[in-house]
Amino acid sequence: MLQVFETVYWPSLDYILTYKRFLDTPIGPVLFKKQFYKNRCEILSANGKQRLTIPIHARQGQSDIEIRICNRSAWQKNHLRSLDSAYNNAPFYWYYKPAIHDFYTQSATSLFELNKTLLQWLDRKSTRLNSSHIPLS
């Protein structure tokens, strides 16, 4: 059975480091599981943890490549506003802000493709990190 690397929405640093460690593992679709981080993430806002969720059309057991994003709501605008509010004063956010704004202005229909694009962008932007930063437990 072929092993694939699963995509998530705004992955954690641990996730990115693990991805870098297993770069030879292809990014691929897997079965959708409810209450997983494929379409949601948590950010630290001024009021504590804030959950961001991408609205989707999905069924349990469906391949995540088949999951479609529901673009009827203004989720992209809301997520961008939340990220700006939470991180606008963070060091280096100004450096990434234009690319993040570009990411949220693209028209996305597939959750898998959106997450894959995000993971690949994060991988390129985190070139100074490598698997040696991963603590061995």
Side-chain angles (χ1 to χ4, degrees):
M1 177 185 237
L2 176 67
Q3 294 290 330
V4 295
F5 205 82
E6 208 168 330
T7 64
V8 297
Y9 181 56
W10 281 111
S12 67
L13 182 57
D14 287 337
Y15 184 97
I16 295 168
L17 290 173
T18 303
Y19 172 71
K20 288 181 164 302
R21 189 173 187 184
F22 297 102
L23 276 177
D24 56 338
T25 305
I27 299 171
V30 295
L31 294 181
F32 176 72
K33 295 171 266 192
K34 288 188 175 188
Q35 302 301 319
F36 194 63
Y37 287 93
K38 290 209 170 287
N39 68 319
R40 64 187 70 181
C41 69
E42 291 179 341
I43 63 171
L44 277 178
S45 70
N47 299 322
K49 283 185 181 179
Q50 180 180 354
R51 180 171 277 182
L52 303 178
T53 305
I54 299 173
I56 57 171
H57 298 290
R59 295 183 314 274
Q60 184 79 15
Q62 182 179 19
S63 171
D64 65 356
I65 205 162
E66 300 168 340
I67 297 171
R68 296 290 164 233
I69 296 172
C70 179
N71 285 313
R72 283 183 273 169
S73 66
W75 70 269
Q76 291 163 309
K77 184 178 177 181
N78 293 337
H79 288 206
L80 193 53
R81 193 175 325 135
S82 296
L83 288 168
D84 283 347
S85 175
Y87 301 116
N88 222 17
N89 295 325
F92 303 106
Y93 183 72
W94 60 269
Y95 177 75
Y96 299 106
K97 188 175 180 174
I100 292 170
H101 278 251
D102 289 346
F103 174 75
Y104 280 103
T105 56
Q106 71 178 341
S107 178
T109 57
S110 166
L111 182 65
F112 175 76
E113 289 302 322
L114 181 101
N115 286 344
K116 183 178 173 182
T117 301
L118 180 59
L119 180 60
Q120 290 169 337
W121 178 76
L122 289 168
D123 179 44
R124 284 191 308 275
K125 291 297 180 184
S126 61
T127 54
R128 301 183 94 192
L129 297 173
N130 60 44
S131 60
S132 66
H133 292 92
I134 302 173
L136 299 174
S137 338

